[in-house]
Amino acid sequence: MISFIILNYNNATLSLKCVASIKQYIPQESYEVIIVDNGSRPDDYQQLCEGLQGLDRCQLLRKEVNTGFGTGNMVGASMAQGQFLCFLNNDVLLVEDCVTPLCRYMQKHTDVGCMTPVQQKVDGRRSRSFRQDSGFWHELVGDSVRERLFPKHFPPRDIILKVSDQPVSVMQINGSFMLFDANKFWAIGGFDTSIFLYYEEYDLAKRLHLRGWHCMVHPKYTFLHVHDASTSSMRRLTLKENFVSKIYTYRKYHGTLPSLCFQGLITLKLLFKPKKWYILPVSLSGKVMRHSMRYRAGGGRG
């Protein structure tokens, strides 16, 4: 069985559309849906309750406070009964059964820990559904340079999307659609709940690779990612949170000197971007987690 886990945060309309797409394309006997409401407004939560009323194989869990993406997903995962855990952003829509074939592939290939189909935009274009390692060299030269210089180690994303129809092993997949073997997910400890938002997929991929398990993208199958818009004030908060998580996760896997160099590089880049100087307190901080949205009113992705 496949357990779909979806977070809702003040957007019941999108969450209900996501659930409807699952019901449309996934064989009913093979799945369950767990929605975790991550501290939404009362009216949004009420809309979600009404929309889910009477639906089989679907349960709703309510958290009074938004404690972040990873924590919310862990609440849902702790209730899941499936052999596979599929974490979906609520702005994802299935356009085919892109899950069952991936589950079959993972059953046959026990060295695979996590998979995703290819992300498709609303205009029909395919989007890059995986990233190279999000570390020092990514910050220094970006992914495209590494893909041109070392294509065997860093598979060129655009070429894979165009010409390949076979699964490809990658450094990390995007967080909007993550399908895990449940045993492997729990073996690496699941989401790091210290991370409020962003870089969860980087952190999970690191721990999978340390156990010898691959992350893979399957270009033959697709899903639609709507990308819900946010207000400009929320974009500032989430961009700042992105830097909090970026520095935290890098420190987690590297020593003191590499982490100081990484943080210094981020600060240097920010100095050339005056519009982002509000992020400097994060990049200069010795205790970046104090700047997290976890300690502010409001919420994040979900």
Side-chain angles (χ1 to χ4, degrees):
M1 184 169 69
I2 307 160
S3 297
F4 290 94
I5 300 166
I6 303 165
L7 296 190
N8 179 72
Y9 179 70
N10 289 332
N11 208 325
T13 299
L14 278 181
S15 297
L16 292 171
K17 288 181 178 179
C18 181
V19 173
S21 73
I22 293 170
K23 292 181 67 66
Q24 180 177 355
Y25 290 105
I26 307 300
Q28 185 173 8
E29 68 278 1
S30 67
Y31 75 87
E32 64 175 353
V33 177
I34 300 170
I35 298 182
V36 180
D37 184 77
N38 219 3
S40 297
R41 300 184 309 269
D43 61 309
D44 191 79
Y45 177 66
Q46 182 63 32
Q47 180 185 349
L48 193 61
C49 291
E50 293 173 358
L52 295 174
Q53 192 171 8
L55 292 184
D56 295 332
R57 299 181 174 271
C58 188
Q59 57 178 311
L60 174 60
L61 307 174
R62 168 72 162 168
K63 292 171 75 257
E64 295 296 330
V65 178
N66 183 356
T67 53
F69 185 75
T71 301
N73 274 315
M74 287 297 280
V75 170
S78 67
M79 303 296 294
Q81 301 297 314
Q83 178 185 356
F84 297 95
L85 305 178
C86 188
F87 298 95
L88 296 180
N89 279 14
N90 68 336
D91 55 357
V92 161
L93 297 175
L94 302 191
V95 294
E96 60 179 337
D97 183 359
C98 58
V99 182
T100 305
L102 271 60
C103 292
R104 291 177 183 149
Y105 185 89
M106 294 174 75
Q107 286 176 318
K108 293 179 181 178
H109 299 82
T110 56
D111 60 339
V112 178
C114 184
M115 291 192 76
T116 189
V118 169
Q119 182 173 299
Q120 180 179 312
K121 298 180 180 180
V122 292
D123 60 7
R125 291 181 299 160
R126 288 185 160 203
S127 177
R128 295 171 173 175
S129 300
F130 65 95
R131 297 184 64 181
Q132 312 298 357
D133 191 28
S134 300
F136 184 88
W137 290 105
H138 170 77
E139 290 294 326
L140 186 63
V141 299
D143 288 338
S144 298
V145 172
R146 292 185 295 171
E147 289 172 357
R148 288 196 298 269
L149 294 177
F150 310 104
K152 289 185 178 180
H153 190 62
F154 301 102
R157 292 165 294 168
D158 292 335
I159 294 176
I160 287 173
L161 293 181
K162 291 178 181 178
V163 304
S164 177
D165 64 354
Q166 296 298 317
V168 179
S169 180
V170 298
M171 298 299 292
Q172 63 187 84
I173 63 177
N174 285 358
S176 57
F177 189 127
M178 296 186 289
L179 177 67
F180 287 88
D181 176 295
N183 289 332
K184 293 181 174 66
F185 176 82
W186 290 116
I188 64 170
F191 286 89
D192 181 344
T193 55
S194 295
I195 302 173
F196 185 83
L197 186 63
Y198 299 121
Y199 280 80
E200 300 92 356
E201 56 269 60
Y202 171 79
D203 176 61
L204 289 164
K206 280 288 187 183
R207 284 182 277 135
L208 285 171
H209 289 310
L210 288 172
R211 298 290 292 267
W213 295 323
H214 297 286
C215 299
M216 304 196 75
V217 59
H218 203 318
K220 186 176 180 179
Y221 303 99
T222 62
F223 68 95
L224 181 64
H225 195 189
V226 179
H227 284 296
D228 182 35
S230 60
T231 65
S232 58
S233 60
M234 183 59 72
R235 280 197 295 270
R236 285 176 62 91
L237 286 174
T238 55
L239 183 58
K240 190 174 182 180
E241 190 69 25
N242 185 287
F243 279 78
V244 170
S245 299
K246 179 188 298 188
I247 295 170
Y248 169 80
T249 53
Y250 191 86
R251 286 180 179 176
K252 184 175 176 179
Y253 296 101
H254 301 83
T256 301
L257 182 58
S259 297
L260 288 173
C261 293
F262 181 72
Q263 201 163 340
L265 176 60
I266 290 173
T267 303
L268 181 62
K269 291 173 65 176
L270 285 173
L271 291 177
F272 292 94
K273 300 176 181 179
K275 291 184 178 179
K276 295 184 179 181
W277 282 358
Y278 65 92
I279 301 172
L280 285 173
V282 174
S283 68
L284 293 169
S285 176
K287 298 182 178 180
V288 295
M289 298 304 282
R290 289 183 176 180
H291 299 271
S292 174
M293 290 170 63
R294 181 183 303 279
Y295 306 109
R296 302 173 62 101
R301 185 172 75 193

